[in-house]
Amino acid sequence: MRTNAKMAEFVFHSLSEADTERLGSALARALPPGTTIALIGTLGAGKTRLVQAVAAACGVPREIATSPTFVLVNEYRGTRRICHFDAYRLRDEDEFVELGPEEYFESEGLTFVEWADRVENCMPRERVEIVCEAVGETERRFCINSQGEQLGSAVTAIKDAIDAAG
Ligand SMILES: Nc1ncnc2c1ncn2[C@@H]1O[C@H](COP(=O)(O)OP(=O)(O)OP(=O)(O)O)[C@@H](O)[C@H]1O
Ligand SMILES: [Mg+2]
């Protein structure tokens, strides 16, 4: 796998939810404070499941980390503070702005945004992007890359954390 500091990218093939838990643990360990993570992918691709995996790695029970489809934003406080947006049901980008995402983007926590492609103009320039894809009943493909200039090393760190965990 080829990576470089500025434009790191790699694909994580998950064959099971246990694999997705491993990715979640790596994200929880490797993402720098204040990182925003754009989650992109169709219904059932595994966006919420991945946030649950990160939350679990931070000591937040999985059942607490539910999809914020109706409440639009959830906050979990474990070993790290996690904010979880879902833009699926929003009418437009203005409605997203009304939720006050800037405050979360600027916080020290990790901020996940499901359906980030729907509110792309409101997303911070510096972000980690994870494109999620269902390729079978239990098989998922997560393509992880950095947008902007500062988070390339974070993507490399995620990959290293996965490799270190075996
Ligand atoms: N390897 C895997 N990784 C993640 N989820 C998996 C995997 N295998 C099966 N699943 C199942 O796939 C489903 C993913 O649903 P999830 O709610 O995370 O999708 P989503 O991308 O958030 O969709 P939506 O756009 O509706 O919010 C869950 O039911 C989960 O149990
Ligand atoms: Mg979801």
Side-chain angles (χ1 to χ4, degrees), residues 86-137:
D86 190 334
Y88 185 66
R89 277 171 202 279
L90 298 179
R91 235 180 308 110
D92 51 27
E93 288 184 329
D94 287 346
E95 205 177 342
F96 183 65
V97 172
E98 280 165 25
L99 298 173
E102 290 294 334
E103 185 193 321
Y104 294 99
F105 295 154
E106 283 157 22
S107 77
E108 289 296 286
L110 299 177
T111 302
F112 290 85
V113 182
E114 295 194 38
W115 293 96
D117 44 332
R118 297 198 170 195
V119 290
E120 200 183 340
N121 296 320
C122 307
M123 294 294 289
R125 216 175 81 78
E126 298 290 336
R127 61 186 187 262
V128 168
E129 202 167 84
I130 305 183
V131 180
C132 316
E133 199 185 336
V135 287
E137 201 166 316

Side-chain angles (χ1 to χ4, degrees), residues 14-17 19-20 41-50 62 67 69 86 88 114-115 137-140 142:
S14 167
L15 298 178
S16 63
E17 293 193 42
D19 277 349
T20 299
T42 54
L43 294 166
K47 301 180 295 297
T48 299
R49 187 65 190 85
L50 182 59
R62 181 175 153 188
S67 170
T69 300
D86 190 334
Y88 185 66
E114 295 194 38
W115 293 96
E137 201 166 316
T138 65
E139 207 175 329
R140 299 289 184 275
F142 295 98

